Structures are given as C-alpha cells and as structure tokens.
Amino acid sequence: MELPDAGAASPEAVRHALSLVLASDELRSSPQLATILRFVVEATLDGRREAIKGYTIAVEALGRDPSFDPQADPIVRVEATRLRRALERYYAGAGAGDDIEIAIPRGSYVPQFLPRLAAGGEVGEVESAGLDANVDAVTPPPVPPAGIAAGSPAGVPARPQKAARRLGRAVAMGLLALALAVVAIGLVTGSRDPFGLREWLAGSGWQPLERTNRLGIPMIEVRAFETAGRPPASGSSGDFTAEGIEVRVRDALARFDLLDVLASPDARPALRCAGEGASASSAFALGGLVENHDDGTLSVLLRLSDLCDGTIVWSREFDSLKRGGDATALEIGLVRDIMAAIAEPYGVIQARARARVTAAGGPGAAGPYGCVLTAYAYWRSYLPAEHEAARACLEKAVAEDRTFALGYALLAELYLDEIRAGAPSRAATPALNRALAAAEQAVELAPTSAFARRVLMDVHFFRGERAATLAAGSTALELNPYDVDIIADFGGRLIALGDTARGEAMLAQAAHAAPGMPPWVDYHRVIAAYLRGDAPGAAAAADHLMGEGYAPGLLARALASHLAGEDEAARADLARLVAISPAWGRDPDTMIARFFPDAGVARKVRADLAALGLKRHDSAAAN
C-alpha cells in the first residue's frame, strides 16, 4: 500500500492526534520527548519540513547553544530513537484506536501522519509501509471523529476498543481466580506463604536496598540498549550487539565500589530530590544506542541522565568501531573507556553526586558517603586538616557499621598517607599495622571487591612484601579489568619493583583510557623515566605534578631535576619534602626502602639523594 503524504490529513486532525499522544503515559513522563515531537509536528504543518534537522531540533526544541555540533553530541539521534520506541508502544496499546498515527521513519526526523484503518490486515500493511519515506502519496479516506473507527457507522465505537474491554475483564477475572486459589492453598496447607514468596524476597536483594539508602552511595540503572540500522550479516552478528554491550556495561559498573547498580528500575528506592527532607543521594540512568552502518562499522551512543532532575549530564559517541578480530577484546576496551568517563572517582557520576551533596549541606549531610567524599577531597589537596577530617569521619562510620567494607579500605589508604604523604598521626599503633588491619578487614567483608584488593596491594608494597604485592595486584585486575585506576596503580608498583617496561605499558594503557588521571599517576611516570635515564621524559612528566603539598611529587621532581643536572632546584624540592614529611630527614634509608622495595632501584635512589645532601643522620644509623 502506498503511504499518505504528511499534508493529506488536515492540520486539525493531526493536532488532535498529537494531543492524544502527548497526554499518554509514554510521553507525559518524558517532557524532552514530548518537546521534540511537538516541534517536528508543528514544523511539518507549518511547511518547514526541510528545516527539521538534528541541529535545529537541538537548538530550537532542546534549547542547546547555537554552537551545538550534532556530530560530537549524539543527543538528538538518541532521543529520536527513544521517541520512535515510545510512539510504537503508544500505538500498540492505548493509541490502538486513534484515527491518525504519527510516525517518525528511521533515517529522518520528519514525521508522517498515517491513517489508522479498521481492524484487519490493512492496518499492519500501512504501518509496515511507514518505514519507507520515499513512496508516493495517496489520498486518505475521510477522518472520522475521535473514538470512531474508519468505516464504522456514525456513533458506533471502534470494535478494537470493545475487544480491549472484554480482554481487560477476562484478565481481571483470571487474576482474581488466581488470588483465590493461593488463599485456598494456604488454608489447606496451614501456610501463609504456600509458594515461598517471602523466602524468595528475602534473598532477592531487598535488604541490600535498605543498606544502599543508609550508605548514600550513588545508584545507577542501565536501561535496555537499542539498535538502529541493519544488523550485520550472519557470522558476525555476535560482534557488538546492543544486548552484548549492555550486559558488559552493567557487569563493569557493578565492579566499582563507589556505585550501587540496580537490577531494574523497580529496585530503586524512592527518591526525595527537592523540598523539605530532600535526600543528598543521587541516582542515574544509563541508556545506549548501537548504530549499524552500511560500511560494516558501527557507533555506540551513550547518555547518562540524572533521575532527580531529569537532565542529561553526559553523552558521548564512540564511532567508527569495526567488527572482526577479537570482538571480546574490542568490547572490553570500549567498556573500559566508558568506565573511565563515568565510573571512576574523578568521573562524571561522582562529580555530579558530589555537587548534590554540597547543595544539600555538605558531606556531613550525606552519611557514610559523605566520609567517602571527604577522603577524596583530601586526595585532591593533601592538606593535613582534610586528612584528619576524613580519617575521623571514616573511623566513626566503621565503628557504627562494622560491615562498611569501603570505609575500611579508604581508612587503610589514609593510614598509609601518614608514611607516604607525611599526614599527621594521632595513634600509638604504627601506621603500617593499622593499614594492614583495615585492608584485611575490607577484603574479608568484600572478597570480590577489586578496590579492597588494590588497597591491600598498596599496603603490602609499603611493607616491602613483593610477592604479596604482586598477588594482590593481579587479583584486583582479575576482579575489575575495567578500572584504569587499578591498572595505573599496579603499573606504578611494578616500576618501583624493577619491572619498568611492563609498568610503563600499564600506565600508558590507563592514560589512553583516562587522560586526566590523579597526581599519583604523574609521580609514577616521573619515576619510570628517571629509572630509564630519560631526563627530558622525566622533566616533561614532572611538569604535570601537583603543587608543593604533595610529598611524593616533591621526591619525584627532585630526582628528575638531579637527572637533568639541576641540583639547586632538586635541593629546594628536597627541603620542602623534609618539611612536609620529616621522616625523610630523620631516616631516609627507611623511607627509600618503603618507596622502592627493589634493592637495585633503592641503591640508585639512595645514591642520588645522598649526592643532593639527604643522608642518614648518625642517631638513626646507630639504632
């Protein structure tokens, strides 16, 4: 059957059809989709079909800046795909009896207005024809009043509506009968739960939801990824499918301790986003679209939404992806890039959650998650006061909740900073002992936590335990191969242990996925270049180190300056290092052994620091 032209239906009939769609559940809950639909329909009715492009939709409908680049930001394509799905759901359900169907064919944003014929084979014929936007138009039959099927006698409701009502009554009676049967079985067996539903619910994740609320960790749900374009030929259809990427993304997110991944939207606790009693917690939704192209390549479009205010906080297109070869390795690389952008402590989700906590009154109003944010704030500044605040907050949190595995892991890192960063100590027990106890407690509470294993690796490293360091690092990577922080941290430990080539390769892999890494990554890059005798490389990496308050950075910069023959600058950095971390002045040999457990590496560092005047005091040597 030929497709009717957009102008075949009267503007009044089209606007009536539009009002019905906009009032539906499918679009009422998605104001952005409703805005796009209203814009393209009105533009078509106004004779502006040629103006309906991705750019005009973004700027005129969505309010984007005139500098919007549709090639860099896939928001319009993603939203158009969602809109098509919403329209399909509406016309398959509540809109089945509508006189006119509004359709947006794939490959275009210009809507088509299709007559809805009487129930029968021709309805499906018109809908399937709607996929082809190049068919000549025919004149549609007269449009009957709303609620009357085409071809029905005047005043007679459409037969599909009667059938729908009969079906609804039948379903309701069936459910009632099922409920009565359950009650009857319970009475006969003497059980209030004859099918074990309570036992099933007890193990279905209900209790963890209560825990999620208490900790305040950001929540995220991964929605079904959609597909656009013709799928690949048989034989390669398993590569980069929407379902496959969606599953891998959900699996990857679940491996990060700073996120709680919801099994479904139904599992999400109620959000209190505004007004009195508003929560500082955050919740997000990640959606995706896999676009197949005629040349065999594909693009993956992703969009992260804040469920509290409905805004899109991040979107990105990964394009020109090629099938063939090792599809699993390619998918892992893609997912690792996605995780680097949204799931890491410095990624989009944590930044957005941190802003919400700040708006709600600060970390003190965010429960245990506020302590997490305080710890990461310290690792951005390395100010002693922020270290004390983070440590006190986390020590109180784990005292109140002995199952807070993440809290123990973060505490272990803070205890280590009493050695590596010169942070103040208020405890009689040695920092390394406290760090080991906290890290082991974190691993015991969360044996599948990659972050806890990574922290255990750091503790073993500063204790000089090479084999245990390598074992914990390898386990952390196995548990979460998508975490670029683990890759970079393990790489840095390998460098200090003498395996410079392998360590640098891991640093490069992490930097490729996440160019804006934390300051400790720059420290490892400087040390790697220094050990290779690469003075320009060490100097270039040292230029990226943070300011004067980061003790390891001062050490690395001093070694890089000495390698370049700039001993005056190196001595100035060493003086600042000793001021921040006095242990370097009291007992440099012990500190060198902590930072460089490999004997050969330690000898080189010790000789260079001694040449700069940093020597072991006699009082320390006598002990």
Side-chain angles (χ1 to χ4, degrees):
M1 173 175 285
E2 294 180 311
L3 195 66
D5 184 75
S10 69
E12 293 76 13
V14 170
R15 288 191 173 97
H16 176 69
L18 174 64
S19 68
L20 295 176
V21 180
L22 296 178
S24 68
D25 292 339
E26 285 76 7
L27 267 74
R28 192 168 57 238
S29 59
S30 301
Q32 189 153 269
L33 296 187
T35 298
I36 294 175
L37 181 61
R38 185 182 293 107
F39 173 82
V40 297
V41 168
E42 291 296 341
T44 302
L45 294 178
D46 291 343
R48 298 176 56 228
R49 294 163 60 102
E50 71 286 346
I52 303 177
K53 306 292 184 184
Y55 176 82
T56 53
I57 293 174
V59 174
E60 297 184 32
L62 301 182
R64 293 298 177 97
D65 190 85
S67 62
F68 175 81
D69 182 0
Q71 298 303 317
D73 189 340
I75 180 61
V76 176
R77 274 179 286 167
V78 173
E79 291 298 281
T81 298
R82 291 183 61 220
L83 179 56
R84 293 184 188 103
R85 299 281 184 177
L87 290 173
E88 289 170 4
R89 289 194 302 270
Y90 170 72
Y91 287 113
D98 286 7
D99 305 316
I100 294 175
E101 176 181 351
I102 301 174
I104 299 179
R106 300 189 185 279
S108 172
Y109 302 125
V110 179
Q112 296 172 347
F113 312 131
L114 315 178
R116 305 279 290 180
L117 304 182
E122 289 189 286
V123 173
E125 191 175 346
V126 170
E127 289 176 342
S128 64
L131 297 177
D132 186 356
N134 299 315
V135 181
D136 293 336
V138 297
T139 303
V143 179
I148 308 300
S152 297
V156 179
R159 282 176 290 178
Q161 293 177 336
K162 289 185 177 179
R165 285 196 295 270
R166 287 196 299 269
L167 177 60
R169 285 195 295 269
V171 170
M173 293 300 294
L175 291 174
L176 177 60
L178 178 61
L180 292 174
V182 171
V183 173
I185 293 173
L187 291 174
V188 171
T189 61
S191 171
R192 295 183 181 180
D193 186 21
F195 295 120
L197 294 178
R198 290 185 179 182
E199 182 179 355
W200 178 81
L201 283 173
S204 67
W206 188 263
Q207 291 302 319
L209 279 181
E210 294 178 1
R211 177 171 171 74
T212 295
N213 278 332
R214 187 169 71 254
L215 295 182
I217 299 293
M219 296 172 286
I220 183 170
E221 62 186 57
V222 180
R223 295 177 174 172
F225 280 26
E226 299 174 341
T227 302
R230 189 177 299 277
S234 59
S236 62
S237 59
D239 300 356
F240 286 108
T241 63
E243 182 181 8
I245 297 175
E246 173 201 330
V247 170
R248 198 176 289 279
V249 166
R250 183 180 288 107
D251 168 72
L253 287 168
R255 297 170 186 251
F256 286 83
D257 292 61
L258 290 179
L259 293 174
D260 278 320
V261 182
L262 303 179
S264 73
D266 295 334
R268 183 190 343 121
L271 298 176
R272 300 189 305 276
C273 301
E276 187 175 352
S279 171
S281 300
S282 297
F284 302 88
L286 181 68
L289 170 68
V290 176
E291 280 192 318
N292 297 292
H293 304 302
D294 293 340
D295 61 359
T297 64
L298 73 156
S299 302
V300 178
L301 314 175
L302 295 169
R303 183 198 58 207
L304 183 72
S305 303
D306 188 324
L307 292 177
C308 259
D309 57 20
T311 59
I312 296 173
V313 298
W314 175 83
S315 64
R316 182 172 172 185
E317 178 177 8
F318 298 84
D319 57 1
S320 300
L321 301 173
K322 296 181 179 179
R323 293 186 172 85
D326 188 345
T328 299
L330 291 172
E331 279 191 3
I332 290 175
L334 169 66
V335 174
R336 183 180 292 142
D337 290 346
I338 297 169
M339 296 303 106
I342 66 174
E344 295 287 356
Y346 44 81
V348 175
I349 291 177
Q350 297 302 325
R352 184 78 174 186
R354 185 166 59 247
R356 183 173 297 281
V357 168
T358 301
Y369 180 60
C371 300
V372 175
L373 293 179
T374 303
Y376 278 100
Y378 160 69
W379 286 315
R380 289 193 298 274
S381 69
Y382 285 92
L383 294 174
E386 293 195 358
H387 179 275
E388 286 200 57
R391 187 187 61 214
C393 187
L394 285 167
E395 285 177 342
K396 179 182 178 183
V398 298
E400 294 174 350
D401 182 359
R402 296 294 183 182
T403 67
F404 188 16
L406 177 59
Y408 283 107
L410 294 172
L411 268 178
E413 290 286 359
L414 290 172
Y415 294 150
L416 282 182
D417 278 329
E418 295 175 18
I419 296 171
R420 62 188 172 194
S425 174
R426 297 288 184 269
T429 307
L432 280 176
N433 292 359
R434 284 179 280 126
L436 180 61
E440 289 180 338
Q441 182 69 5
V443 170
E444 181 178 345
L445 289 169
T448 61
S449 166
F451 181 74
R453 298 284 180 169
R454 171 199 164 186
V455 171
L456 186 62
M457 173 190 71
D458 288 344
V459 174
H460 284 313
F461 175 85
F462 279 96
R463 291 172 63 89
E465 298 162 347
R466 179 188 182 96
T469 297
L470 296 176
S474 297
T475 302
L477 269 182
E478 291 172 4
L479 289 170
N480 192 354
Y482 308 105
D483 190 337
V484 294
D485 267 16
I486 292 177
I487 295 172
D489 196 12
F490 194 13
R493 302 308 172 204
L494 290 174
I495 291 168
L497 290 170
D499 194 349
T500 305
R502 184 183 170 201
E504 278 198 288
M506 295 177 72
L507 286 180
Q509 182 184 22
H512 173 75
M517 297 287 285
W520 52 262
V521 178
D522 295 316
Y523 161 80
H524 291 316
R525 292 173 57 229
V526 174
I527 296 301
Y530 160 77
L531 292 176
R532 284 190 289 101
D534 179 5
D543 287 341
H544 294 282
L545 286 167
M546 66 179 295
E548 307 301 314
Y550 180 48
L554 292 170
L555 170 65
R557 200 161 65 188
L559 292 173
S561 296
H562 177 65
L563 183 62
E566 301 172 356
D567 285 359
E568 184 177 351
R571 290 189 180 95
D573 282 331
L574 282 183
R576 284 190 286 269
L577 171 63
V578 172
I580 291 174
S581 182
W584 280 99
R586 292 193 308 267
D587 192 359
D589 279 3
T590 297
M591 295 299 288
I592 290 170
R594 299 288 190 216
F595 276 74
F596 306 101
D598 180 79
V601 173
R603 277 194 301 271
K604 175 177 174 58
V605 173
R606 186 179 297 112
D608 286 344
L609 292 181
L612 293 170
L614 189 66
K615 299 179 180 179
R616 192 173 192 181
H617 292 178
D618 291 340
S619 60
N623 291 334

